[in-house]
Amino acid sequence: MQDNLEFLQWTKRFWDQYYPGGEYDAVARRKAAGGPAAAAPAPTPTSSSRTSGAGAARRGTTPTTAPARSVASVRTGGIATAALTQELNALKDTVTGLERERDFYFSKLRDIELLLQQACEADPELEKDEDGLIKQVQAILYSTEEGFEIPAEDGAVDDQETF
């Protein structure tokens, strides 16, 4: 229900912003747009024929809220939009590459961690040696940056959702 209301509000705002007012002349619009011209222009109804019926439609009464865009502003917007789209695509490619690299190095570290765990399970004496290679590698693997906190594993998760 809310979506329908929002869509109708958007449609009204769009109409108010871009409707120039007055009668719609399709032939003139096609000529201005460079489209194919009609064989004969349609006759425009007179004001008496428009208002003669009781159920006659009122046209051209919706006020415009913004001036029509000029051709120069549309061209500039198109160029700016194209530049921003190109920049966005470049950033997306960069993010994709960085994610791929992150996943690659994470999988390498995970493999090293699994090898160390298997070695400790096979020979528990390796884990008891405080200055051993395994302890040093584990210290590097499990070290954190200053200010970084490892999240608690007790299951206390904040279930509040943000919309």
Side-chain angles (χ1 to χ4, degrees):
M1 184 73 166
Q2 182 67 27
D3 292 337
N4 293 338
L5 177 62
E6 289 175 5
F7 176 72
L8 289 173
Q9 289 172 338
W10 178 86
T11 305
K12 167 117 174 49
R13 184 176 183 285
F14 185 84
W15 176 267
D16 289 344
Q17 185 174 2
Y18 293 107
Y19 180 66
E23 291 292 320
Y24 181 76
D25 186 9
V27 175
R29 296 278 304 228
R30 281 194 291 271
K31 286 181 184 176
T44 57
T46 61
S47 62
S48 62
S49 67
R50 264 187 282 147
T51 58
S52 61
R58 286 181 39 191
R59 295 183 185 208
T61 58
T62 305
T64 57
T65 58
R69 291 184 176 179
S70 67
V71 175
S73 67
V74 172
R75 286 187 191 139
T76 305
I79 293 170
T81 303
L84 289 174
T85 303
Q86 185 178 15
E87 182 180 356
L88 177 66
N89 290 336
L91 290 173
K92 283 182 180 180
D93 291 342
T94 302
V95 167
T96 302
L98 289 173
E99 287 175 345
R100 191 176 304 131
E101 185 177 356
R102 177 203 62 195
D103 292 342
F104 171 77
Y105 286 113
F106 178 79
S107 68
K108 295 291 181 187
L109 290 172
R110 182 69 180 139
D111 291 344
I112 291 170
E113 181 182 29
L114 292 175
L115 285 174
L116 290 174
Q117 288 175 355
Q118 289 172 357
C120 288
E121 287 174 2
D123 187 9
E125 295 296 321
L126 292 173
E127 195 170 13
K128 293 179 181 174
D129 187 16
E130 292 296 323
D131 293 331
L133 179 64
I134 291 185
K135 282 290 187 183
Q136 291 175 356
V137 173
Q138 285 178 336
I140 293 171
L141 282 176
Y142 300 128
S143 66
T144 58
E145 291 184 15
E146 186 177 321
F148 178 78
E149 294 182 18
I150 298 175
E153 295 183 23
D154 60 346
V157 179
D158 186 17
D159 289 339
Q160 183 178 2
E161 294 183 18
T162 305
F163 293 101

